[in-house]
């Protein structure tokens, strides 16, 4: 099945038919592989960081490598909770960012309990992913095959899969679902606005520091970056000024420079979308707003909106954040439970707002006074309860909930303590 060169570059993938899912898991061997793979990544850390810095900032590349190693180190404990059988094929549509971490989450980890994992990279980072696979070809018992095929051909391979992992646009997920038997589970990993709520008792300096570091992480190009900051009216003026100042202080520098920096944007389509957003709301720009089309640079930008209930920013995937205010916690709760936000609820960070103590607000997982980056853990379910953020699609139904592949592979892939029922199409 793995038709690769010695350097790990795939030449072709051909369908070999579905595999029987019947073997009992060897947990000791799974743990051994996780530890071995983690050691390999650590040994090749310089090569991996150098490669990742071609598409990401150095700090985000280092953080990604750390997360990948930590996930593998936690693999032994995670697999102790595995209740399924081994075998079958997993097909993964790899995202265009966090390619190493995604390779681990959606390639190596499911490879512990499947016969084979086929990965099709995003066209935007195809060369980098194949170069990454070339480095990781040295992994002992690497279960991943890179599928150098068209999307149509890859979807055909998905029809025989045990599980399909889709990381991409929600609209594209539905197009693919129509071509895959409904019995095949599709695990959809999307995105959400990941808002930050700064309440009347919030430490403004802390909120500004953590919002700046999370919004501008990798130049703003990550699905965990917050798109919206909702500040209580009592602290709003101070927070607005300090946030604008903090954004302006972040140096404009190449990706290779250590520290929080604003490099040229890597993704052309994200640059165009963010530029269009700024132009559409030019009169609402409080700070920043400069667009350099020639060099794909966006100045870190704060865009003010006067009414929370009418503010539903798209995924900005850029150094741009929306800012609005509120008076009562009930306004934030109403926003989080609105139709638009329950569809895409993922994470929400809450600082100094005692009126929002719930572990889940609407469909968003409450991180408390932490960023979504601090809350995310590769060995725990990812996402929220919005169907656009994370959901399992199977047999004409959707179960929107945080997802962990090893849990979803079990015989009873139930939701965690705060579950949601299956909802018809």
């Amino acid at each position: 099945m793995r038709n690769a060169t010695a350097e790990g570059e795939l030449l072709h993938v051909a369908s070999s038919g579905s595999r029987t899912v019947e073997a009992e898991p060897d947990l000791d061997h799974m743990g051994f592989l996780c530890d071995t793979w983690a050691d390999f990544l650590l040994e090749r850390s310089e090569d991996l960081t150098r490669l990742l810095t071609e598409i990401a900032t150095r700090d985000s590349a280092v953080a990604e490598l750390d997360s990948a190693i930590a996930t593998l180190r936690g693999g032994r404990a995670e697999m102790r909770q595995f209740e399924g059988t081994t075998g079958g094929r997993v097909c993964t549509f790899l995202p265009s960012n966090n390619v190493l971490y995604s390779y681990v989450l959606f390639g190596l980890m499911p490879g512990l309990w499947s016969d084979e994992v086929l990965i099709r990279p995003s066209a935007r980072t195809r060369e980098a992913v194949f170069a990454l696979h070339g480095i990781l070809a040295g992994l002992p018992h690497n279960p991943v095959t890179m599928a150098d095929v068209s999307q149509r051909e890859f979807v055909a391979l998905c029809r025989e899969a045990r599980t399909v992992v889709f990381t991409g646009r929600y609209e594209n997920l539905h197009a693919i679902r129509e071509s895959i038997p409904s019995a095949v589970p599709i695990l959809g990993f999307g995105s959400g606005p990941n808002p930050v709520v700064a309440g009347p008792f919030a430490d403004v300096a802390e909120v500004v520091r953590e919002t700046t570091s999370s919004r501008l992480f990798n130049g703003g190009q990550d699905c965990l970056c917050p798109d919206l900051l909702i500040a209580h009216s009592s602290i709003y003026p101070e927070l607005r000024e300090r946030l604008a100042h903090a954004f302006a202080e972040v140096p404009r520098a190449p990706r290779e420079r250590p520290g929080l920096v604003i490099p040229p944007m890597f993704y052309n389509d994200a640059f165009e979308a963010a530029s269009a957003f700024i132009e559409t709301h030019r009169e609402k720009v409080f700070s920043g707003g400069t667009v350099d089309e020639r060099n794909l640079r966006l100045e870190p930008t704060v865009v003010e909106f006067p009414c929370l209930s009418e503010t539903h920013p798209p995924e900005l995937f850029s150094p741009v954040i929306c800012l609005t205010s509120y008076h009562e916690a009930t306004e934030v709760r109403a926003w989080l439970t609105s139709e638009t936000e329950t569809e895409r609820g993922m994470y929400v960070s809450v600082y100094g707002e005692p009126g929002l103590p719930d572990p889940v607000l609407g469909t968003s997982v409450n991180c408390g006074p932490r960023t979504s980056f601090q809350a995310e853990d590769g060995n725990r379910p990812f996402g929220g309860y919005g169907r656009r953020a994370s959901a399992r699609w199977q047999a004409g139904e959707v179960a929107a909930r945080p997802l962990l592949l090893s849990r979803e592979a079990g015989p009873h892939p139930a939701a965690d303590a705060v579950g949601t029922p299956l909802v018809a199409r």
Side-chain angles (χ1 to χ4, degrees):
M1 183 65 188
R2 187 171 290 112
N3 300 313
T5 66
E7 290 76 25
E9 182 178 355
L10 182 82
L11 300 179
H12 178 65
V13 170
S15 173
S16 61
S18 59
R19 307 292 184 92
T20 301
V21 181
E22 59 183 10
E24 293 298 320
D26 183 342
L27 299 181
D28 289 337
H29 183 63
M30 290 177 174
F32 169 78
L33 285 178
C34 285
D35 291 339
T36 301
W37 291 341
D39 291 341
F40 182 92
L41 265 58
L42 190 59
E43 292 169 3
R44 299 297 300 271
S45 59
E46 290 187 10
D47 293 334
L48 290 167
T49 302
R50 188 180 306 113
L51 171 62
L52 294 176
T53 306
E54 294 179 8
I55 61 175
T57 65
R58 180 171 181 80
D59 271 24
S60 64
V62 170
E64 182 178 348
L65 177 60
D66 289 345
S67 294
I69 293 174
T71 298
L72 292 171
R73 294 289 188 212
R76 184 182 294 271
E78 177 185 333
M79 296 314 298
R80 289 197 190 103
Q81 308 301 315
F82 183 74
E83 297 178 347
T85 53
T86 62
R89 169 189 296 169
V90 174
C91 291
T92 294
F93 292 82
L94 204 71
S96 61
N97 66 315
N98 290 315
V99 292
L100 171 60
Y101 191 32
S102 298
Y103 189 106
V104 169
L105 290 175
F106 307 134
L108 296 183
M109 292 301 289
L112 295 171
W113 44 263
S114 63
D115 287 327
E116 56 186 356
V117 180
L118 306 185
I119 286 181
R120 183 177 188 270
S122 166
R124 296 196 291 181
T125 48
R126 179 185 178 280
E127 292 184 6
V129 173
F130 272 88
L132 171 66
H133 186 64
I135 295 175
L136 299 183
L139 281 172
H141 307 290
N142 187 341
V144 173
T145 296
M146 297 302 297
D148 193 12
V149 296
S150 70
Q151 179 165 299
R152 177 177 295 182
E153 292 172 311
F154 192 63
V155 169
L157 294 170
C158 292
R159 295 188 186 112
E160 301 173 344
R162 169 181 180 171
T163 302
V164 173
V165 178
F166 184 84
T167 59
R169 292 177 58 84
Y170 183 73
E171 294 75 16
N172 294 342
L173 182 152
H174 286 287
I176 289 169
R177 281 179 58 221
E178 297 302 319
S179 302
I180 296 175
S182 64
V184 176
I186 302 177
L187 306 181
F189 293 83
S191 62
N194 304 316
V196 177
V197 178
F201 303 105
D203 181 329
V204 173
E206 178 187 22
V207 172
V208 168
R209 181 178 63 254
E210 297 202 343
T211 301
T212 300
S213 65
S214 57
R215 173 65 269 184
L216 303 184
F217 180 81
N218 193 31
Q221 300 168 103
D222 194 288
C223 70
L224 288 178
C225 295
D227 293 314
L228 178 64
L229 173 54
I230 307 168
H232 190 268
S233 56
S234 64
I235 65 170
Y236 184 86
E238 179 188 0
L239 187 148
R240 177 181 60 178
E241 296 294 336
R242 295 180 71 162
L243 181 67
H245 178 75
F247 271 32
E249 289 293 300
V250 179
R252 285 60 171 164
R255 296 186 194 94
E256 297 79 10
R257 176 172 166 176
L260 186 66
V261 299
I262 302 298
M265 290 187 64
F266 179 80
Y267 305 98
N268 289 349
D269 55 344
F271 174 82
E272 292 171 359
S275 299
F277 182 84
I278 290 173
E279 290 307 314
T280 298
H281 302 287
R282 176 60 66 182
E283 76 283 356
K284 297 184 179 71
V285 171
F286 177 73
S287 66
T290 301
V291 178
D292 180 355
E293 294 185 7
R294 172 178 293 184
N295 297 305
L296 294 182
R297 283 188 177 276
L298 280 181
E299 186 178 5
T301 300
V302 178
V303 185
E304 279 191 291
F305 288 85
C307 182
L308 170 60
S309 64
E310 298 176 4
T311 303
H312 300 283
E315 182 184 19
L316 295 168
F317 216 70
S318 64
V320 178
I321 194 166
C322 298
L323 176 64
T324 191
S325 65
Y326 75 99
H327 298 281
E328 302 291 339
T330 53
E331 299 171 49
V332 180
R333 190 180 295 276
W335 182 86
L336 287 165
T337 55
S338 66
E339 181 178 356
T340 297
E341 299 309 326
T342 53
E343 276 280 303
R344 60 181 187 159
M346 194 170 181
Y347 295 111
V348 56
S349 300
V350 180
Y351 297 81
E353 178 47 85
L356 300 172
D358 316 58
V360 178
L361 293 163
T363 57
S364 297
V365 172
N366 189 346
C367 301
R370 297 185 299 165
T371 70
S372 50
F373 290 96
Q374 293 166 341
E376 193 271 337
D377 181 334
N379 301 113
R380 298 180 62 81
F382 174 88
Y385 294 90
R387 66 171 67 192
R388 289 176 175 266
S390 49
R392 178 189 177 110
W393 303 81
Q394 187 178 18
E397 298 181 313
V398 56
R401 58 173 177 252
L403 300 173
L404 180 66
L405 266 62
S406 62
R407 174 181 294 186
E408 298 297 328
H412 306 291
D416 51 29
V418 185
T420 55
L422 291 177
V423 180
R425 281 194 207 189

